Amino acid sequence: MIKDYIRDPFYYETDQMNIINHTHFIKWMEESRIDYLRQIGAPLEELEAQGIVSPVLEVNCQYKNMVRFGDRLKIKIKTTAYNGVKLFLSYSIENERTGVTHAECKSSHCFLDKKNNIISLKKMKPDIHNKFMEQIQ
Amino acid sequence: MIKDYIRDPFYYETDQMNIINHTHFIKWMEESRIDYLRQIGAPLEELEAQGIVSPVLEVNCQYKNMVRFGDRLKIKIKTTAYNGVKLFLSYSIENERTGVTHAECKSSHCFLDKKNNIISLKKMKPDIHNKFMEQIQ
Amino acid sequence: MIKDYIRDPFYYETDQMNIINHTHFIKWMEESRIDYLRQIGAPLEELEAQGIVSPVLEVNCQYKNMVRFGDRLKIKIKTTAYNGVKLFLSYSIENERTGVTHAECKSSHCFLDKKNNIISLKKMKPDIHNKFMEQIQ
Amino acid sequence: MIKDYIRDPFYYETDQMNIINHTHFIKWMEESRIDYLRQIGAPLEELEAQGIVSPVLEVNCQYKNMVRFGDRLKIKIKTTAYNGVKLFLSYSIENERTGVTHAECKSSHCFLDKKNNIISLKKMKPDIHNKFMEQIQ
């Protein structure tokens, strides 16, 4: 059972519109993704220890309701697709207290070896491959 | 004639993959957008001085080639659509020296009054409305 | 009893030296300070709601041991001095698992009204003044 | 002749106090330091290419006058001391238009080899050592 990622926006993340600046949502996506990878048993550290990096191919974020300092966020991640080579995630950034949706986001990722060649996790790391397969929703 | 936005990535924008972390591209979009708005004669400061804010509705960024510390970036912005209420921009993040494309990004925006109501720039600020109309490509 | 502020450094806080970039320590000071102010009963939100802001006058940070991604930090704050007008805090940034000290930091602060005049909390907000008085160590 | 580092604060660097958040000054110190090292002929890239890194030992920043979005900053760096092993820099962050001093900052640095041992630049890199010696003021 995956636990949602809880995050209190920081004061330095506000801007002079008196809201949290939109650029920080992309950081929260990274934070929650790393937490998610740990939870499903495919921690980034384990991949990096074996010389595998996982760059971001694309991010998308639709901003629905402004976030203010003092809000508490709950981020829900899902693996929407995975084919052994590419990983697709979705993120729902919600208000932990009110349930309001602040943003709906997506990201996609691949996996590279030390020479920056795209690799198939299915072939190279079948144990981690299986972890992602189990998460597809 | 709009000048491209030139930006040298900062050391603190690198990460332990030895590349510039992907989250910073979204910040560069904001930086270059604000520069662009000044250049076309619709500076954010002028809107804010009149109580109008322009939140981001959506961002999208497709990462094509990694950026490294020492690269110099050239960001080209275009107004791809604008209807008096919503503004759509595209960004090409290129290597100023090699011409390689690092990322292709998009953002969309609306305009709000002090009560957070969506406004029509066409009605409320026809002078700035006209500036955006002239930029549509 | 004040609880330490626990913080896992984020991946995007690393840099290409494979450590957490030193600039982020100043952000952690702000994060832990805001948490501390809430705990002692003098939350920033309450001051701001009454038109009082608390700018930083000075920060100092001595870096003792590098922080790496995967470390868990424990930040201990103390009020080292307070005279009704100025507040002095110290921060010990430690490794939650090993006890190693990563940094020893300090900050000082004053309080301003809406016209940016320095105010005496002792006169203007005696209840919050008393909270700080109780914390002096 | 060293050129000052010019920097326009970014919108995402503002906070809800309607000023630039104090944490960003430490980033500007790093930006201007890297620019300075290039100008004096001791670029960070050259050190890193030879396996030498230069961690920050201490930073200090005294905030004098708030910076607002729209201000243009001019940062003046000086080498205040250097002994072959440690480097001490001072930074004056001024308003390029008004001449007002926004902050007075300091940092100190050492140099490490790949095994994280402190090295003497005087012995290991006499050419770069001489560059720093020439800058002492």
Side-chain angles (χ1 to χ4, degrees):
Chain A
M1 189 62 188
I2 305 297
K3 285 173 63 179
D4 299 332
Y5 181 72
I6 302 297
R7 173 71 144 77
D8 290 331
F10 302 133
Y11 192 84
Y12 59 76
E13 293 179 323
T14 63
D15 69 20
Q16 68 183 29
M17 283 168 65
N18 275 327
I19 57 172
I20 301 297
N21 186 274
H22 73 286
T23 62
H24 300 294
F25 290 56
I26 313 301
K27 295 181 175 179
W28 303 337
M29 289 168 67
E30 187 186 276
E31 295 172 30
S32 58
R33 181 168 62 247
I34 285 170
D35 179 69
Y36 174 79
L37 293 176
R38 275 186 196 139
Q39 288 195 59
I40 69 169
L44 198 61
E45 295 92 322
E46 189 181 325
L47 289 170
E48 291 201 347
Q50 296 172 33
I52 299 171
V53 293
S54 180
V56 178
L57 296 174
E58 184 168 358
V59 294
N60 181 270
C61 195
Q62 292 182 289
Y63 301 91
K64 304 290 190 187
N65 286 286
M66 295 168 177
V67 177
R68 294 183 187 277
F69 182 66
D71 288 338
R72 171 161 290 178
L73 302 172
K74 181 174 66 174
I75 305 181
K76 297 180 179 180
I77 303 195
K78 287 180 189 169
T79 296
T80 53
Y82 170 73
N83 61 7
V85 175
K86 283 195 184 178
L87 173 68
F88 296 84
L89 302 172
S90 74
Y91 310 70
S92 177
I93 303 179
E94 301 174 10
N95 193 299
E96 197 247 4
R97 296 187 188 100
T98 66
V100 162
T101 299
H102 289 292
E104 295 285 356
C105 309
K106 288 181 286 187
S107 67
S108 59
H109 307 266
C110 67
F111 303 91
L112 302 182
D113 64 16
K114 283 182 178 169
K115 295 177 180 170
N116 280 339
N117 294 316
I118 291 179
I119 60 169
S120 163
L121 270 195
K122 188 175 178 180
K123 291 183 190 169
M124 302 292 282
K125 295 285 295 174
D127 51 330
I128 288 191
H129 169 76
N130 289 334
K131 303 289 187 184
F132 287 124
M133 288 301 289
E134 291 168 13
Q135 292 300 324
I136 302 173
Q137 300 196 6
Chain B
M1 189 64 189
I2 305 297
K3 287 172 62 179
D4 298 333
Y5 182 73
I6 302 297
R7 173 69 146 76
D8 291 332
F10 302 133
Y11 192 84
Y12 59 76
E13 293 179 325
T14 62
D15 69 20
Q16 68 183 30
M17 283 169 66
N18 277 324
I19 57 173
I20 301 296
N21 186 274
H22 74 284
T23 62
H24 301 293
F25 290 56
I26 313 301
K27 295 181 175 180
W28 302 338
M29 290 170 67
E30 188 187 275
E31 294 172 30
S32 57
R33 180 168 63 245
I34 285 170
D35 179 69
Y36 174 78
L37 294 176
R38 276 186 196 137
Q39 287 196 61
I40 69 170
L44 197 63
E45 296 92 322
E46 188 180 325
L47 289 171
E48 290 201 347
Q50 294 171 34
I52 298 171
V53 293
S54 179
V56 178
L57 296 174
E58 184 168 358
V59 295
N60 182 270
C61 195
Q62 292 181 287
Y63 301 91
K64 303 290 190 185
N65 286 287
M66 295 169 178
V67 178
R68 293 184 188 276
F69 183 66
D71 288 338
R72 172 160 290 178
L73 302 172
K74 180 174 67 174
I75 305 181
K76 298 180 179 180
I77 303 195
K78 287 181 188 169
T79 296
T80 52
Y82 171 73
N83 61 6
V85 175
K86 282 195 186 178
L87 173 68
F88 297 84
L89 302 173
S90 73
Y91 310 70
S92 178
I93 303 181
E94 302 174 10
N95 192 298
E96 197 247 3
R97 297 187 187 99
T98 65
V100 162
T101 299
H102 288 294
E104 296 283 358
C105 309
K106 290 182 282 188
S107 68
S108 59
H109 308 265
C110 68
F111 303 92
L112 303 181
D113 65 17
K114 284 183 178 168
K115 293 176 181 170
N116 281 339
N117 294 317
I118 292 180
I119 61 169
S120 163
L121 270 195
K122 187 175 179 179
K123 290 183 190 169
M124 303 291 280
K125 296 284 297 171
D127 51 331
I128 288 190
H129 169 77
N130 289 334
K131 303 289 188 185
F132 287 123
M133 289 301 289
E134 290 167 15
Q135 293 299 323
I136 301 172
Q137 299 195 5
Chain C
M1 189 63 189
I2 305 297
K3 287 172 63 178
D4 300 332
Y5 181 73
I6 303 296
R7 173 71 143 76
D8 291 330
F10 302 133
Y11 192 85
Y12 60 76
E13 293 178 324
T14 63
D15 69 20
Q16 68 183 29
M17 283 169 67
N18 276 326
I19 57 173
I20 301 297
N21 187 274
H22 73 285
T23 62
H24 300 294
F25 290 56
I26 313 302
K27 295 180 176 182
W28 302 338
M29 291 169 65
E30 187 187 274
E31 294 172 30
S32 58
R33 180 169 62 245
I34 285 171
D35 179 68
Y36 175 78
L37 294 176
R38 276 187 195 135
Q39 287 195 62
I40 69 170
L44 196 62
E45 296 92 321
E46 189 181 324
L47 289 171
E48 291 202 346
Q50 295 171 34
I52 298 170
V53 293
S54 180
V56 178
L57 295 175
E58 184 168 358
V59 295
N60 182 270
C61 195
Q62 292 181 288
Y63 301 91
K64 305 289 189 186
N65 285 286
M66 295 169 178
V67 178
R68 294 184 188 276
F69 182 65
D71 287 338
R72 172 162 290 178
L73 303 171
K74 180 174 67 175
I75 305 180
K76 297 180 179 179
I77 303 194
K78 287 181 188 167
T79 296
T80 53
Y82 171 73
N83 61 6
V85 175
K86 281 194 188 179
L87 173 67
F88 296 83
L89 302 173
S90 74
Y91 309 70
S92 176
I93 303 180
E94 302 174 10
N95 192 299
E96 198 248 5
R97 296 186 188 100
T98 66
V100 162
T101 299
H102 288 293
E104 294 285 357
C105 309
K106 288 183 285 188
S107 67
S108 60
H109 307 266
C110 68
F111 303 92
L112 303 181
D113 65 15
K114 284 183 179 169
K115 294 176 181 170
N116 282 338
N117 294 317
I118 291 179
I119 61 170
S120 162
L121 270 196
K122 187 176 179 179
K123 290 183 191 169
M124 303 291 282
K125 295 284 297 172
D127 51 331
I128 288 190
H129 169 76
N130 290 334
K131 303 288 187 185
F132 287 123
M133 289 300 289
E134 290 167 16
Q135 293 300 323
I136 301 172
Q137 298 197 5
Chain D
M1 189 61 189
I2 305 296
K3 287 172 63 178
D4 299 333
Y5 181 73
I6 302 297
R7 174 69 143 78
D8 290 331
F10 302 133
Y11 192 84
Y12 60 76
E13 294 179 324
T14 63
D15 70 19
Q16 68 183 27
M17 282 169 66
N18 276 326
I19 58 174
I20 301 297
N21 187 274
H22 73 286
T23 62
H24 301 294
F25 290 56
I26 313 302
K27 295 180 175 181
W28 303 336
M29 292 169 66
E30 187 187 275
E31 295 172 29
S32 58
R33 180 168 62 246
I34 285 171
D35 179 68
Y36 174 78
L37 293 176
R38 277 187 195 137
Q39 287 195 61
I40 69 169
L44 197 63
E45 295 92 322
E46 189 180 326
L47 289 170
E48 291 201 347
Q50 295 171 34
I52 298 170
V53 293
S54 180
V56 178
L57 294 174
E58 184 168 359
V59 295
N60 182 270
C61 194
Q62 292 182 289
Y63 301 91
K64 304 290 190 186
N65 285 287
M66 295 168 178
V67 178
R68 292 183 189 277
F69 182 66
D71 288 338
R72 173 162 289 180
L73 303 172
K74 181 173 66 175
I75 305 180
K76 298 180 179 178
I77 303 195
K78 287 181 188 166
T79 296
T80 53
Y82 171 74
N83 61 5
V85 175
K86 281 195 188 180
L87 173 68
F88 297 83
L89 302 173
S90 75
Y91 311 70
S92 177
I93 302 180
E94 302 174 9
N95 193 300
E96 197 248 4
R97 297 188 187 98
T98 65
V100 163
T101 299
H102 288 292
E104 296 284 358
C105 309
K106 288 183 284 190
S107 67
S108 60
H109 308 266
C110 68
F111 303 92
L112 303 181
D113 65 15
K114 283 182 179 170
K115 293 176 180 168
N116 282 337
N117 294 318
I118 291 179
I119 61 170
S120 162
L121 270 195
K122 188 176 179 179
K123 290 184 191 169
M124 303 291 282
K125 296 284 297 172
D127 52 330
I128 289 190
H129 170 76
N130 289 334
K131 303 287 187 186
F132 287 124
M133 288 302 288
E134 290 167 15
Q135 293 299 323
I136 300 173
Q137 298 195 8

XYZ file of all heavy atoms in Angstrom, chain A residues 36 76-81 88-92 135-137:
126
model
N 8.157 7.686 -3.732
C 7.376 6.594 -4.341
C 8.288 5.445 -4.760
O 8.003 4.270 -4.494
C 6.613 7.168 -5.532
C 5.852 6.188 -6.380
C 4.619 5.692 -5.978
C 6.343 5.776 -7.629
C 3.899 4.808 -6.784
C 5.639 4.903 -8.435
C 4.420 4.420 -8.006
O 3.710 3.550 -8.803
N -0.506 12.201 -4.547
C -0.774 10.801 -4.885
C -0.147 10.489 -6.245
O -0.440 11.156 -7.227
C -2.281 10.559 -4.981
C -3.031 10.782 -3.690
C -4.518 10.528 -3.886
C -5.253 10.746 -2.560
N -6.699 10.525 -2.679
N 0.705 9.462 -6.272
C 1.362 9.087 -7.527
C 0.836 7.750 -8.017
O 0.559 6.853 -7.211
C 2.885 8.962 -7.332
C 3.463 10.262 -6.798
C 3.556 8.583 -8.644
C 4.962 10.337 -6.926
N 0.722 7.655 -9.325
C 0.392 6.380 -9.957
C 1.325 6.117 -11.131
O 1.724 7.043 -11.825
C -1.053 6.391 -10.492
C -2.108 6.304 -9.423
C -3.485 6.319 -10.054
C -4.558 6.444 -8.965
N -5.876 6.731 -9.553
N 1.662 4.852 -11.334
C 2.345 4.440 -12.560
C 1.256 4.198 -13.592
O 0.468 3.257 -13.469
C 3.156 3.153 -12.330
O 4.185 3.419 -11.377
C 3.786 2.664 -13.631
N 1.186 5.044 -14.608
C 0.102 4.925 -15.593
C 0.504 4.023 -16.750
O -0.355 3.426 -17.392
C -0.315 6.311 -16.119
O 0.855 6.991 -16.585
C -0.956 7.125 -15.005
N 1.800 3.948 -17.020
C 2.266 3.043 -18.082
C 3.741 2.756 -17.861
O 4.463 3.565 -17.271
C 2.042 3.658 -19.465
N 5.838 6.013 -17.092
C 4.921 7.148 -17.098
C 4.214 7.253 -15.754
O 3.590 6.281 -15.315
C 3.884 6.993 -18.214
C 4.480 7.011 -19.588
C 5.006 5.844 -20.139
C 4.547 8.176 -20.335
C 5.576 5.845 -21.413
C 5.116 8.189 -21.602
C 5.630 7.021 -22.145
N 4.326 8.419 -15.117
C 3.720 8.617 -13.808
C 2.697 9.751 -13.847
O 2.848 10.698 -14.628
C 4.806 8.965 -12.775
C 5.935 7.953 -12.586
C 7.020 8.540 -11.678
C 5.411 6.648 -11.999
N 1.690 9.663 -12.993
C 0.768 10.788 -12.814
C 0.760 11.188 -11.344
O 1.014 10.351 -10.465
C -0.645 10.424 -13.264
O -1.239 9.565 -12.311
N 0.505 12.457 -11.101
C 0.557 13.019 -9.751
C -0.704 13.842 -9.524
O -1.021 14.716 -10.326
C 1.744 13.983 -9.595
C 3.078 13.465 -10.040
C 3.359 13.264 -11.402
C 4.080 13.199 -9.129
C 4.593 12.792 -11.816
C 5.328 12.730 -9.544
C 5.575 12.532 -10.885
O 6.782 12.066 -11.306
N -1.363 13.588 -8.430
C -2.481 14.438 -8.032
C -2.051 15.194 -6.775
O -1.774 14.576 -5.744
C -3.713 13.577 -7.752
O -4.760 14.399 -7.303
N 3.114 -2.067 -10.437
C 2.460 -0.811 -10.076
C 1.538 -0.256 -11.150
O 0.822 0.709 -10.910
C 3.526 0.259 -9.761
C 4.321 -0.040 -8.499
C 3.445 -0.124 -7.267
O 2.461 0.614 -7.139
N 3.747 -1.045 -6.372
N 1.581 -0.841 -12.346
C 0.798 -0.265 -13.451
C -0.695 -0.259 -13.116
O -1.244 -1.265 -12.685
C 1.029 -1.042 -14.764
C 2.518 -1.028 -15.130
C 0.201 -0.428 -15.901
C 2.864 -1.914 -16.321
N -1.294 0.906 -13.286
C -2.734 1.026 -12.974
C -3.490 1.497 -14.219
O -3.044 2.359 -14.912
C -2.933 2.059 -11.857
C -2.210 1.689 -10.573
C -2.712 2.488 -9.385
O -3.679 3.232 -9.517
N -2.088 2.323 -8.228
